[in-house]
Amino acid sequence: MTQQIVGTELTFTQGFTAAERQVLTDDAVEFLAELVSKFTPQRNKLLAARACWQQKIDHGDLPDFISETDSIRNGDWRVRGIPDDLRDRRVEITGPVERKMVINALNANVKVFMADFEDSLAPSWDKVIDGQINLHDAVNGTISYTNDAGKIYQLKPNPAVLIARVRGLHLPEKHVLWQGEAIPGGLFDFALYFFHNYRQLLAKGSGPYFYLPKTQSWQEAAWWSEVFSFTEDRFELPRGTIKATVLIETLPAVFQMDEILYHLRDHIVGLNCGRWDYIFSYIKTLKNHGDRVLPDRQSVTMDKSFLSAYSRLLIKTCHKRGAFAMGGMAAFIPSKDAEKNAWVLNKVRADKELEATNGHDGTWVAHPGLADTVMDVFSRVLGERRNQLEVLRENDAPISAAELLEPCDGERTEAGMRANIRVAVQYIEAWISGNGCVPIYGLMEDAATAEISRTSIWQWIHHEKSLSDGQLVTKALFRQMLKEEMLVIREEVGEARFNAGRFEEAAHLMERITTQDELIDFLTLPGYELLA
C-alpha cells in the first residue's frame, strides 16, 4: 500500500496508523521533502566518491593527510562555540530509541544520553516511527512506560541532555521513496526529530543536538553543514543553533579531522573516538593490504600503537580548535556475580583512566550500571573543571600517517575465530529480528562489533593467514566452524529460542558475506532487506 502526501514528491510504502499520523504530519513531511530533493543528489555523489577513493586504496595506495588542505590544518581558527548544557559531557550513555531504554538512560547518573537511530537500532519501520514519538515525549517530559508486571517507568527531575544519532550517509529509509529510490535514512531521522522538537528544546535552554556517524571525508561534513544551515534559515533560527558531534569511526576520517571541524565550524561541538567502528573501518579500508591484517578482536585494545595515536591526535586536534574530544565506548555489562563484576569494573576503570589522563573530555558507557564507576574516574581527573579543553598536548611529537596505519601484533586463534562466528551470528539474528542492541557474553554488542567479527575472518581467508596452531584459514574451515558453532549456539540459547528465532537465516547471511570475494561494506545493508 503506497501513499503520497499532497504537494510533496515523496511516496510512503506503509499505510499510516495513528503513530505515523503523529510523526508524519503534513508540515513535517513537507520539510522532509525539501531536504530530500535538495540534498539527496549530492549525497549520492558523496557515496560514489567513497567508492572511488576505496578503489585507490584497494590498488595499493595508503590513506594520508591531504596536502591541498594544509592551510586549514595550519590556520588559526576555532569552532563557533559550545552551548552551556553541553559543556560538561564527562559520561554519556548510548542506546536505541526504545521507550523503556530512553527513560532509563535519561535517568542514569550521566550527563548526556545519545538516543540512537543507527548502530544499536534495527531500523524496522515501526521502531523508527516509535523512536520519534519516544524522543518527542522525552523532550516534553511526558514519557512513561509500564511493563507487563505493572511497573511504571517515568522521568526523574533533571534528566540527562538528549542528543539524537541519525543514520549514516549510506543507510536508506526504504519505506519512503523519492523519484523511485529509497531516501537517505539520516535525512529522515534528522528532519523529523528537528521539526517536532526544536521549539521545546530551545524553550528549555537546550537545543537540537545530533551525533553524526560513519563520516569519511570533510566533503561529507560540509554536506551536513549545508543541511543544518538550510534548516536554520528555513525556520529563522540563528546560525549555529543546531549542534553536532561527529564520530571519527572511519580510517579515512582520522586524516581529515581538522577539515571536518573547519567545514562544520558553525555547528560542531566535538569529535568522538568511535573505537569499535574504527577498528572495523581499519580492516575494511585496508582489506587488500596483507601486511595490515589484524589479530583476534580481543587483543586489539586502545593501548595498541595505531589506536593510541588515533586517540591522542583526536584530543590534540579538537582542543586546538575549542572542540570536545570524546572518548570511546565501554561495552561491558555489569555481572550479578560479585567476583566477575569486580573484574568488569576494574577493566572499565583502567580503560577510562587512560582516556581521562590522555585529555578526553568525557566518554561513553553502554549500561547504566557502569555510570557511577566512570563518573568517579572522570570527576577525579576533572576536579572543579567541566571539561579538559585546556589540555592541548602541545608537547606531543607530531603523529604521522605511518603511526595511524601501524600494523597490530597479536595472535589469530581458533578460539578467537569461533568466538567471532558465534557473536556475529547471534547479533545478525537479533538484528534481522528487530533488535539492534544485544548482550552477548558479557558485552553489549551493536553492529560495529559484529562487523569486526565477520570482516576479520573475511580478511584472514582473503590473505590465506594461518591460526596460531598452524591451521590455514580457508572458506572450507570457516564453513566447518560455522556449522559446529551453530550447534553451540543452539545449546546455549536453548531449543525453543533457537527454533523460534531466525538463526538459520543469520548463518546463511554470515556465510555469504564472509566467503564472497568482494567484501560487503556494511552487513546492515543486506540485513535491512530481511527487516520489516
Side-chain angles (χ1 to χ4, degrees):
M1 176 183 177
T2 65
Q3 65 186 83
Q4 204 142 4
I5 291 189
V6 177
T8 78
E9 302 171 354
L10 300 182
T11 303
F12 293 81
T13 65
Q14 300 288 309
F16 279 23
T17 65
E20 277 86 357
R21 283 192 288 274
Q22 198 176 330
V23 173
L24 297 167
T25 60
D26 288 355
D27 288 348
V29 171
E30 183 185 337
F31 172 51
L32 172 62
E34 286 177 39
L35 291 183
V36 166
S37 60
K38 186 172 178 61
F39 293 104
T40 300
Q42 182 60 24
R43 172 264 201 171
N44 294 342
K45 288 178 185 170
L46 290 168
L47 291 182
R50 280 186 184 183
C52 287
W53 182 86
Q54 184 60 52
Q55 279 185 333
K56 292 178 186 170
I57 305 301
D58 289 346
H59 290 118
D61 286 3
L62 285 171
D64 205 345
F65 297 100
I66 308 168
S67 57
E68 293 84 354
T69 52
D70 275 350
S71 60
I72 291 175
R73 283 197 301 282
N74 297 325
D76 187 20
W77 52 269
R78 290 169 69 82
V79 301
R80 181 183 276 262
I82 299 173
D84 191 64
D85 69 335
L86 280 180
R87 296 196 73 82
D88 187 342
R89 298 173 65 175
R90 66 189 71 189
V91 183
E92 300 188 346
I93 193 167
T94 76
V97 287
E98 291 162 0
R99 201 163 184 87
K100 180 182 163 190
M101 165 66 80
V102 169
I103 298 167
N104 285 344
L106 288 170
N107 285 342
N109 181 23
V110 297
K111 299 295 185 181
V112 169
F113 167 43
M114 186 204 78
D116 193 16
F117 285 98
E118 201 232 5
D119 261 7
S120 65
L121 185 83
S124 64
W125 179 248
D126 289 350
K127 290 209 169 180
V128 167
I129 293 295
D130 287 347
Q132 291 286 351
I133 293 170
N134 296 340
L135 295 193
H136 181 61
D137 290 350
V139 168
N140 283 285
T142 59
I143 190 169
S144 66
Y145 172 78
T146 306
N147 71 10
D148 293 340
K151 183 179 178 184
I152 299 171
Y153 297 78
Q154 290 177 309
L155 281 190
K156 295 176 183 173
N158 304 313
V161 175
L162 185 60
I163 302 181
R165 178 161 73 170
V166 299
R167 278 172 278 184
L169 217 59
H170 62 289
L171 290 171
E173 176 43 71
K174 67 182 179 182
H175 303 97
V176 189
L177 308 179
W178 178 69
Q179 298 185 349
E181 297 287 327
I183 68 166
L187 285 182
F188 183 88
D189 303 334
F190 165 77
L192 296 172
Y193 178 73
F194 174 86
F195 183 86
H196 289 297
N197 299 298
Y198 79 93
R199 289 187 192 88
Q200 181 65 21
L201 286 164
L202 292 170
K204 62 183 193 177
S206 189
Y209 303 149
F210 296 90
Y211 255 108
L212 303 179
K214 308 290 189 289
T215 300
Q216 290 201 16
S217 67
W218 65 261
Q219 290 93 338
E220 295 175 13
W223 181 85
W224 271 113
S225 191
E226 287 181 36
V227 171
F228 294 159
S229 294
F230 171 84
T231 300
E232 288 165 348
D233 293 346
R234 185 192 187 281
F235 292 92
E236 299 180 348
L237 297 169
R239 183 67 74 244
T241 298
I242 298 170
K243 293 299 186 187
T245 305
V246 172
L247 287 134
I248 300 299
E249 56 184 352
T250 70
L251 190 62
V254 83
F255 295 95
Q256 302 183 40
M257 291 192 289
D258 268 309
E259 294 89 334
I260 287 167
L261 287 166
Y262 179 80
H263 285 281
L264 263 168
R265 63 193 179 280
D266 283 338
H267 302 106
I268 201 161
V269 292
L271 302 177
N272 176 296
C273 276
R275 60 170 81 169
W276 304 113
D277 267 295
Y278 188 77
I279 295 166
F280 159 51
S281 180
Y282 183 97
I283 297 168
K284 184 172 66 167
T285 304
L286 302 175
K287 62 180 182 282
N288 280 5
H289 294 255
D291 56 338
R292 296 175 199 276
V293 178
L294 292 185
D296 282 353
R297 151 190 169 189
Q298 292 76 10
S299 59
V300 185
T301 48
M302 286 307 290
D303 54 359
K304 297 296 183 187
S305 56
F306 83 103
L307 290 174
S308 174
Y310 148 68
S311 165
R312 288 180 285 115
L313 181 60
L314 186 141
I315 294 164
K316 185 175 183 177
T317 306
C318 285
H319 288 179
K320 181 180 179 184
R321 307 303 181 186
F324 281 155
M326 299 302 298
M329 170 65 80
F332 285 104
I333 301 167
S335 172
K336 291 187 170 75
D337 176 81
E339 194 176 325
K340 177 86 189 298
N341 198 50
W343 179 87
V344 165
L345 294 181
N346 283 334
K347 292 282 280 187
V348 169
R349 193 176 288 111
D351 177 41
K352 298 311 171 189
E353 282 170 352
L354 178 64
E355 287 184 330
T357 52
N358 273 349
H360 280 291
D361 298 288
T363 191
W364 276 11
V365 296
H367 193 285
L370 301 180
D372 291 352
T373 298
V374 177
M375 185 66 78
D376 179 59
V377 169
F378 267 83
S379 295
R380 273 189 286 116
V381 170
L382 287 171
E384 297 296 308
R385 301 170 299 159
R386 291 200 284 176
N387 52 63
Q388 302 200 77
L389 286 173
E390 77 287 350
V391 176
L392 298 176
R393 301 197 65 104
E394 288 171 308
N395 298 324
D396 284 12
I399 288 171
S400 65
E403 284 177 84
L404 293 165
L405 300 171
E406 182 79 25
C408 177
D409 57 359
E411 285 193 312
R412 287 180 294 275
T413 65
E414 179 175 331
M417 184 166 165
R418 288 181 180 277
N420 278 350
I421 291 169
R422 289 197 307 279
V423 166
V425 168
Q426 289 179 81
Y427 182 79
I428 292 168
E429 191 277 335
W431 200 92
I432 64 177
S433 301
N435 183 8
C437 185
V438 196
I440 306 174
Y441 306 131
L443 293 175
M444 191 64 80
E445 305 283 7
D446 70 6
T449 41
E451 295 282 31
I452 295 169
S453 298
R454 62 100 185 175
T455 50
S456 285
I457 299 172
W458 183 94
Q459 201 182 31
W460 297 354
I461 294 168
H462 187 70
H463 292 290
E464 299 179 337
K465 294 295 181 183
S466 294
L467 300 177
S468 52
D469 61 6
Q471 289 183 92
L472 187 66
V473 183
T474 61
K475 293 179 185 180
L477 180 69
F478 164 68
R479 289 185 177 117
Q480 178 62 32
M481 285 189 185
L482 176 60
K483 193 187 293 184
E484 291 164 3
E485 294 310 310
M486 287 298 285
L487 298 175
V488 175
I489 292 169
R490 180 191 287 267
E491 194 171 317
E492 286 179 349
V493 304
E495 202 74 26
R497 165 76 180 89
F498 190 90
N499 291 333
R502 299 179 71 181
F503 290 95
E504 296 296 346
E505 283 174 275
H508 180 70
L509 179 55
M510 175 67 175
E511 195 270 341
R512 176 159 68 90
I513 63 180
T514 309
T515 60
Q516 64 184 40
D517 292 338
E518 281 298 310
L519 183 65
I520 282 183
D521 268 357
F522 296 96
L523 69 79
T524 46
L525 291 172
Y528 193 38
E529 295 167 18
L530 301 173
L531 196 64

